[in-house]
Amino acid sequence: MRRVTLFVNGTSKNGKVVAVYGTLSDLLSVASNKLGIRATSLYNGKGGLIDDITLIRDDDVLYVSEGDAFVDPQSEGRAADDRSGSHSDWLTLNIGGRLFTTTRSTLVSKEPDSMLAHMFRGNDVWGNKRDERGAYLIDRSPEYFEPILNYLRHGQLIVNEGINLLGVLEEARFFGIEQLAEQIEVAIKNSHPPEDHSPISRKEFVRFLLATPTKSELRCQGLNFSGADLSRLDLRYINFKMANLSRCNLTCANLCCSNLERADLSGANLDGANLQGVKMLCSNAEGASLRGCNFEDPSGLKANLEGANLKGVDMEGSQMTGINLRVATLKNAKLKNCNLRGATLAGTDLENCDLSGCDLQEANLRGSNVKGAIFEEMLTPLHMSQSVR
């Protein structure tokens, strides 16, 4: 008794072994029952149509057809590949564990010079790895990849709320999508509000002062108050370090123990201001007016203006007992009738400074530059021990 193995036309799986007996019609009937199809034709492995049962040999492999032409079973593997997307236009990407289904033309057409285009233009040219479902594995962030895929689909940059544009930008650069990267850079720039360098007004600052507890340290470091009217305000203990106070109106303001270190006070008006214990180290007050200011603190805390630029300042009539003006620049300054008792002026530049009528008792002028300085109507004599230049 002969036995043959039967397969559905075009396949090489799920075959059935049957015995050959009777006529060709009997064999076709058995094939229909075994394979679950309506068998009408038999082919051998080379595609030859069998029309006589005597042509069948023992252990032949036959292919059963429902009337369609012979299909080579070796094409089954290629068809499966087509269904999984290796040769078809549709394919699936596994980006960081998230699946994206798209077409090969989407990845290739919009940005032909990108990494994605090079990866999928050919068939596994890069040897792309796949997961168990046949999806191409790419180890990148899925949330940042989604806007890139949408851009390749329709040419528009659309980013959902909560997605960081910087992350999308990095992905665009990684995949070599330069036109998109340029769009994202513009979007990032436009998303940042323009820097506001406009000076703070009196109204804004007063509102700021009223909202701050009296015992809290008020930090105004580096702020811009240029040209603001801060006259007569209580500004005690405020940190104005490196702030821009140029051309400010600070007349009669209370700046007791405030920190003005490296602040810009050029051209400012501080007439009558209370500057007890103020710190003005290395500040720039060139051309400022400080007439009638009080630097003298009864508690003994000394104002510190060491290294300050006080060129051309007008400090006439100011109380500056014990003030520290070491290595400060007071060239062309007006210090008429100032109280400078016990002041430290060592190494100070007093060139062409008007010191007429000043009280310099016990002041330290060692190493100071007094070239062209005016010492008329001095209240106390200037001893040689006070100045060595």
Side-chain angles (χ1 to χ4, degrees), residues 143 160-164:
E143 64 176 352
N160 294 334
E161 186 176 353
I163 302 297
N164 193 330

Short mmCIF file of all heavy atoms in Angstrom, two decimals, residues 143 160-164:
data_model
loop_
_atom_site.label_atom_id
_atom_site.label_comp_id
_atom_site.label_asym_id
_atom_site.label_seq_id
_atom_site.Cartn_x
_atom_site.Cartn_y
_atom_site.Cartn_z
N GLU A 143 8.28 58.90 24.27
CA GLU A 143 7.52 60.15 24.34
C GLU A 143 8.17 61.25 23.51
O GLU A 143 7.48 62.13 22.99
CB GLU A 143 7.38 60.62 25.79
CG GLU A 143 8.68 60.97 26.49
CD GLU A 143 8.43 61.50 27.90
OE1 GLU A 143 7.26 61.74 28.24
OE2 GLU A 143 9.41 61.68 28.65
N ASN A 160 2.71 67.50 22.44
CA ASN A 160 1.68 67.51 23.47
C ASN A 160 2.15 68.22 24.73
O ASN A 160 3.35 68.30 25.01
CB ASN A 160 1.27 66.07 23.83
CG ASN A 160 0.58 65.37 22.68
OD1 ASN A 160 -0.03 66.01 21.83
ND2 ASN A 160 0.68 64.05 22.64
N GLU A 161 1.20 68.74 25.48
CA GLU A 161 1.52 69.45 26.72
C GLU A 161 2.23 68.51 27.70
O GLU A 161 1.87 67.35 27.86
CB GLU A 161 0.23 69.98 27.35
CG GLU A 161 0.46 70.87 28.57
CD GLU A 161 -0.83 71.44 29.11
OE1 GLU A 161 -1.88 71.25 28.47
OE2 GLU A 161 -0.79 72.08 30.18
N GLY A 162 3.24 69.03 28.34
CA GLY A 162 4.01 68.24 29.30
C GLY A 162 5.23 67.58 28.72
O GLY A 162 6.02 66.98 29.45
N ILE A 163 5.41 67.65 27.39
CA ILE A 163 6.59 67.07 26.75
C ILE A 163 7.68 68.13 26.66
O ILE A 163 7.45 69.23 26.15
CB ILE A 163 6.26 66.54 25.34
CG1 ILE A 163 5.15 65.49 25.41
CG2 ILE A 163 7.50 65.94 24.70
CD1 ILE A 163 5.48 64.27 26.19
N ASN A 164 8.85 67.80 27.17
CA ASN A 164 9.97 68.75 27.17
C ASN A 164 10.54 68.89 25.76
O ASN A 164 10.98 67.90 25.16
CB ASN A 164 11.05 68.27 28.14
CG ASN A 164 12.08 69.34 28.42
OD1 ASN A 164 12.36 70.19 27.58
ND2 ASN A 164 12.64 69.32 29.62
#
